[in-house]
Amino acid sequence: MKFLGKYILGIALALLLGTQAMTAQTMRLHMKGGETLEYNCADVDSLTFIPAEKPSPKFQLEVSNIGIASATLSVTPDDNAVRYYYDVCTREQYDALSGGVEEIVTSYIEYLKGRYPTLTMEQILGNTLSQGADSDQLTGLPAGTEFVFYAIAVDDEGKCYGEAATASFSTLPGGDPADCTFDVGYENLSSEALTVVVTPSDPSVRYWMGIVAVANFSGDYALTAQVQQEIADYASSTGMDVAELVQKVTFAGDIALEESGLTPETPYYIYVYAMNPDGSAAGAVTKKRFVTQTELPSDAAVSLSYRYFDGDALYEADPETYAGYQGKVLVQTRLTPNETATSWAIALAKGDLTDETLYPDEETKRAVLQAGSINVESKTFKADWTTCTFLYFAADADGIDGVLKRLLVTFDKANARPVSEIGIEALPARLAAPAAMLPAPQFSAVNLRLKQAKEYGGKHTFRH
């Protein structure tokens, strides 16, 4: 049998006397209340001591300043030595919990342990839990939604104990999206990037934000219709519900979002409008015009040297190593960055790409970063017997690019190096890269917003 309880130290000492000596003895347990319990030791299988449960702390919860998308939470514990966690969840989330709010807290602490493996448990808890009276103002809550405000004690091992204190409240209903206005501005303007700042009059309204070159602007109606069509096409291709996708690619409340990949000395519009669940515009489009700055290139640079070999001759000398090189050129390159360069990139493109009007620097550099090789000191390419263009540039520690270099070369067999010179410095033929395909493909606005929404709205809980 098992006997569970909290006992005096003498019982534990008695169990250390040895099984043989105890089999013929009787064990008496003298309880604090005066009761005596008697057992034959031979009948006892094991004795388990269960630690006394920690007393359940009490918490006073108060919700104030409730708005459309905000509320102020206040917690006052009855014991200021107790550490605790507090937050809110929707009523729907709360009703779906099988283990109470402990599920949320335990899951969040486990997430932090995995996210920050170098931190000790005490460091995690010290930055997550509260002690004594505390308050917090939440923003970005969904409008017209019932919430459960909770607080629960957490021990030094990150385990919840005691009963959670809870209180319910609801945010105010949101207004008509068509009535929402937007204050649109920007900060940190450079030659290719800026930070977009948007403040809506109604923080509950979902809205779309985008940037379009003035030269490509075709009017408010055409712009919003194009976005709606792209959302519909994306939803159809992925099997997503349009309303669900709109929820993911739109914003609510204030944002300060960095946008990059712009062209220097170019006028643009930032445009913002409330969006309906079907992707259509729910109100007027608000626009803010800006012009990107002139780019001053960095001194960062990388020098290039190269040589090339006849693939047919290589294949004849070593068919196994140079399989697939018949009729091709094997090009070996060496790159040497200067003292200013902290990163660099290179690509080899088929054709003449030296015309900066046809192939602007910014678009070409983005293509090199996507299709080329980054931070390599040597690179082997497989090319055709034709005219090609080496494209390469470097950037400094501040992320400012140096001048894009374009080197036009024509590969002809007469100037190919002899096979005997390929030497031990040659990169393995299997690592050879084909000529880059330029220009690089552009990402759709929906894909970009999905990525940004995931990064910008990646809160694990309402408070964190």
Side-chain angles (χ1 to χ4, degrees):
M1 62 171 283
K2 290 179 180 283
F3 189 87
L4 309 179
K6 182 179 180 182
Y7 311 110
I8 58 176
L9 181 61
I11 298 174
L13 295 175
L15 293 176
L16 300 177
L17 296 177
T19 303
Q20 184 175 8
M22 293 181 63
T23 54
Q25 298 179 8
T26 298
M27 179 172 63
R28 292 188 178 89
L29 305 180
H30 301 280
M31 311 304 290
K32 286 185 176 181
E35 182 183 6
T36 299
L37 303 177
E38 186 173 298
Y39 296 94
N40 188 323
C41 293
D43 296 332
V44 177
D45 174 67
S46 63
L47 188 64
T48 302
F49 294 88
I50 299 178
E53 291 186 1
K54 291 185 178 182
S56 180
K58 305 295 183 183
F59 300 96
Q60 181 181 341
L61 308 182
E62 181 182 352
V63 185
S64 59
N65 303 321
I66 299 174
I68 294 174
S70 61
T72 300
L73 311 179
S74 299
V75 185
T76 304
D78 65 350
D79 184 352
N80 288 335
V82 170
R83 292 200 294 184
Y84 61 93
Y85 182 85
Y86 72 98
D87 204 337
V88 302
C89 63
T90 66
R91 169 60 66 180
E92 182 180 4
Q93 291 172 329
Y94 183 81
D95 291 342
L97 295 172
S98 59
V101 298
E102 294 93 327
E103 284 186 39
I104 301 176
V105 180
T106 301
S107 174
Y108 182 50
I109 292 175
E110 289 299 317
Y111 160 77
L112 293 176
K113 288 167 60 178
R115 178 70 176 81
Y116 305 102
T118 60
L119 296 183
T120 64
M121 175 61 79
E122 180 54 37
Q123 289 173 319
I124 290 174
L125 297 180
N127 286 283
T128 306
L129 304 182
S130 299
Q131 192 169 0
D134 197 6
S135 63
D136 194 7
Q137 182 178 19
L138 297 188
T139 58
L141 302 176
T145 302
E146 184 181 1
F147 287 91
V148 176
F149 172 23
Y150 62 87
I152 189 168
V154 180
D155 64 21
D156 294 342
E157 296 180 355
K159 307 295 184 183
C160 298
Y161 68 93
E163 293 185 7
T166 61
S168 298
F169 70 96
S170 295
T171 48
L172 301 180
D176 186 345
D179 297 331
C180 185
T181 59
F182 300 93
D183 182 10
V184 181
Y186 57 87
E187 301 171 347
N188 308 319
L189 179 65
S190 69
S191 61
E192 62 172 17
L194 82 166
T195 301
V196 176
V197 180
V198 179
T199 304
S201 61
D202 185 340
S204 70
V205 170
R206 307 295 307 184
Y207 62 89
W208 175 273
M209 185 279 292
I211 294 180
V212 61
V214 172
N216 297 331
F217 178 68
S218 54
D220 293 354
Y221 178 80
L223 186 64
T224 59
Q226 179 182 349
V227 173
Q228 182 181 14
Q229 186 60 54
E230 188 171 351
I231 288 175
D233 292 343
Y234 188 94
S236 177
S237 65
T238 59
M240 291 182 66
D241 179 71
V242 170
E244 178 188 357
L245 180 58
V246 168
Q247 188 74 14
K248 291 180 179 294
V249 299
T250 53
F251 300 96
D254 300 352
I255 64 169
L257 190 65
E258 182 178 349
E259 295 280 340
S260 59
L262 306 177
T263 302
E265 301 180 79
T266 302
Y268 287 92
Y269 284 128
I270 302 169
Y271 64 97
V272 179
Y273 59 93
M275 181 173 281
N276 290 315
D278 65 356
S280 63
V285 177
T286 301
K287 297 188 292 295
K288 181 74 172 181
R289 191 178 186 275
F290 69 92
V291 180
T292 48
Q293 297 179 350
T294 302
E295 182 175 35
L296 298 176
S298 167
D299 293 332
V302 60
S303 59
L304 169 70
S305 60
Y306 71 95
R307 61 183 182 179
Y308 61 92
F309 299 84
D310 183 347
D312 290 330
L314 292 173
Y315 178 77
E316 183 178 350
D318 189 344
E320 182 177 351
T321 301
Y322 299 103
Y325 271 80
Q326 302 96 312
K328 298 292 184 179
V329 187
L330 187 149
V331 186
Q332 293 180 337
T333 62
R334 295 285 180 183
L335 295 106
T336 306
N338 65 7
E339 294 181 355
T340 307
T342 58
S343 60
W344 57 93
I346 183 173
L348 178 62
K350 187 176 181 179
D352 184 349
L353 276 69
T354 57
D355 190 328
E356 297 180 12
T357 302
L358 294 176
Y359 304 98
D361 280 357
E362 292 306 312
E363 287 82 351
T364 303
K365 285 193 289 187
R366 285 197 292 270
V368 171
L369 290 173
Q370 182 174 354
S373 299
I374 300 174
N375 295 344
V376 295
E377 295 182 355
S378 60
K379 185 66 183 177
T380 299
F381 294 94
K382 181 192 290 187
D384 294 323
W385 292 105
T386 186
T387 296
C388 296
T389 307
F390 281 112
L391 303 162
Y392 54 101
F393 68 100
D396 59 26
D398 294 323
I400 301 176
D401 294 341
V403 175
L404 174 67
K405 301 291 185 65
R406 306 167 188 253
L407 178 61
L408 189 67
V409 296
T410 299
F411 299 119
D412 61 87
K413 294 197 174 188
N415 292 313
R417 306 294 286 268
V419 173
S420 59
E421 291 186 13
I422 197 164
I424 60 173
E425 293 186 356
L427 292 176
R430 63 181 178 276
L431 298 182
M437 300 298 293
L438 298 174
Q442 299 298 309
F443 290 104
S444 74
V446 172
N447 275 314
L448 176 62
R449 288 292 171 259
L450 280 171
K451 180 176 183 294
Q452 288 176 327
K454 182 177 180 180
E455 296 171 350
Y456 193 80
K459 294 176 65 174
H460 195 80
T461 67
F462 280 98
R463 287 188 60 231
H464 301 92

